[in-house]
Amino acid sequence: MTDQNDPQEPKDAVADSPITMRRGVRSFVLRQGRMTEGQKKAYERSWPKYGLTREDGMIDPRQVFGRDAMLNLEIGFGMGKSLADMAEAAPEQDFIGVEVHLPGVGALLKELEDRGLENVRIYNIDANDVIDLYLPDACLDRVMVFFPDPWHKKKHHKRRLIQPEFVQRLRHKLRVGGILHLATDWENYSEHMMEVMSESEGFANTQAVGEFSPRPDDRPITKFEKRGEGLGHGVWDLLFYRTN
């Protein structure tokens, strides 16, 4: 039963369904939840400015941002604070974030408002559609996938986002020399990522073969990550660049 006192999602927020029309195994569970009142108001005020939709079709990043700058894509930005931190620290760069969960979109929009950031745009749809339908080839300088759902049960490993076919689709959106940056706090998933990336055509490790990377200074440490480190949990970063 719906609580009439709960803030409702803006009607426009659900018009562009996050679910892809592509066939295949979905790598996420859609847990929309409720937007807080602050997230809802930020969405209503700022989605027209920062939001990108299916109706926009194939974008020209230079036209979207009004300049020619280094372009980053973050897939699954969660509640958006890390993406806002990166965008604030690098105003000379542009960032596109993809997140299917509306509360996270609302939270990021509030961050962008509070910080007065102009170099971020957001998709609230499946990343597969963004990659396949809306980004030109070789337009990205960096793709970031931080702490994706590990699907830790062996029977669910097929749902993991980082798979050979997905990586090859990302490759075509990166310019030659562009970076694919992955991070996870699940050791088993890190091993899976390393295996996939090491065998992927057109990619090479920025480190020695089979070695993980130190955390780059420009990847913010999340509160979740800090808690994990305090409990002795590891974090593994992989940085591979497109060779051809």
Side-chain angles (χ1 to χ4, degrees):
M1 186 172 181
T2 302
D3 185 345
Q4 296 300 320
N5 293 320
D6 284 347
Q8 300 294 311
E9 291 85 349
K11 290 183 179 180
D12 289 344
V14 296
D16 203 16
S17 170
I19 304 303
T20 181
M21 299 305 291
R22 298 174 70 258
R23 293 184 179 182
V25 177
R26 194 187 306 165
S27 64
F28 62 89
V29 175
L30 192 60
R31 308 181 190 93
Q32 286 290 34
R34 292 285 180 178
M35 300 175 81
T36 67
E37 190 64 32
Q39 292 165 358
K40 176 188 173 186
K41 288 181 177 178
Y43 186 99
E44 291 172 341
R45 288 190 301 263
S46 293
W47 179 255
K49 176 178 179 179
Y50 295 104
L52 295 171
T53 69
R54 289 189 172 97
E55 290 183 353
D56 294 315
M58 183 73 72
I59 66 168
D60 178 348
R62 293 169 299 182
Q63 186 175 41
V64 168
F65 290 98
R67 63 179 182 176
D68 188 4
M70 178 176 172
L71 183 61
N72 305 272
L73 173 71
E74 182 175 5
I75 295 173
F77 58 73
M79 299 307 285
K81 185 177 183 303
S82 293
L83 179 53
D85 286 345
M86 290 188 289
E88 186 173 37
E92 75 284 0
Q93 299 179 25
D94 293 326
F95 295 79
I96 295 175
V98 182
E99 178 56 61
V100 295
H101 298 108
L102 269 174
V105 172
L108 176 56
L109 287 168
K110 191 171 188 310
E111 291 279 355
L112 301 181
E113 286 184 345
D114 291 345
R115 304 185 196 206
L117 301 179
E118 302 287 340
N119 57 335
V120 179
R121 297 295 183 271
I122 303 170
Y123 279 106
N124 177 220
I125 58 177
D126 192 305
N128 287 294
D129 287 352
V130 175
I131 294 163
D132 291 344
L133 303 175
Y134 308 129
L135 293 178
D137 287 347
C139 72
L140 300 172
D141 294 277
R142 179 171 54 168
V143 176
M144 300 168 287
V145 186
F146 299 153
F147 307 103
D149 193 324
W151 293 101
H152 56 277
K153 293 182 179 180
K154 189 172 182 179
K155 66 180 180 179
H156 292 152
H157 284 185
K158 64 183 179 181
R159 293 188 177 275
R160 288 176 167 175
L161 182 63
I162 304 305
Q163 304 289 355
E165 184 265 348
F166 182 74
V167 166
Q168 285 304 310
R169 286 160 50 218
L170 289 178
R171 172 189 164 210
H172 292 298
K173 302 305 169 180
L174 281 165
R175 63 169 177 80
V176 173
I179 295 290
L180 174 55
H181 182 181
L182 311 176
T184 181
D185 58 346
W186 282 78
E187 186 171 13
N188 176 266
Y189 199 3
S190 74
E191 294 167 350
H192 169 87
M193 288 176 170
M194 182 61 74
E195 180 180 356
V196 169
M197 293 306 304
S198 297
E199 296 177 357
S200 290
E201 177 188 354
F203 278 103
N205 198 337
T206 61
Q207 309 299 306
V209 175
E211 288 192 4
F212 294 95
S213 172
R215 180 186 65 85
D217 292 338
D218 59 1
R219 180 175 73 74
I221 300 178
T222 66
K223 291 181 180 179
F224 175 80
E225 187 177 350
K226 287 180 181 177
R227 287 200 302 268
E229 288 181 347
L231 295 171
H233 298 171
V235 173
W236 293 266
D237 285 83
L238 298 83
L239 277 78
F240 280 70
Y241 63 94
R242 180 180 175 181
T243 59
N244 61 60

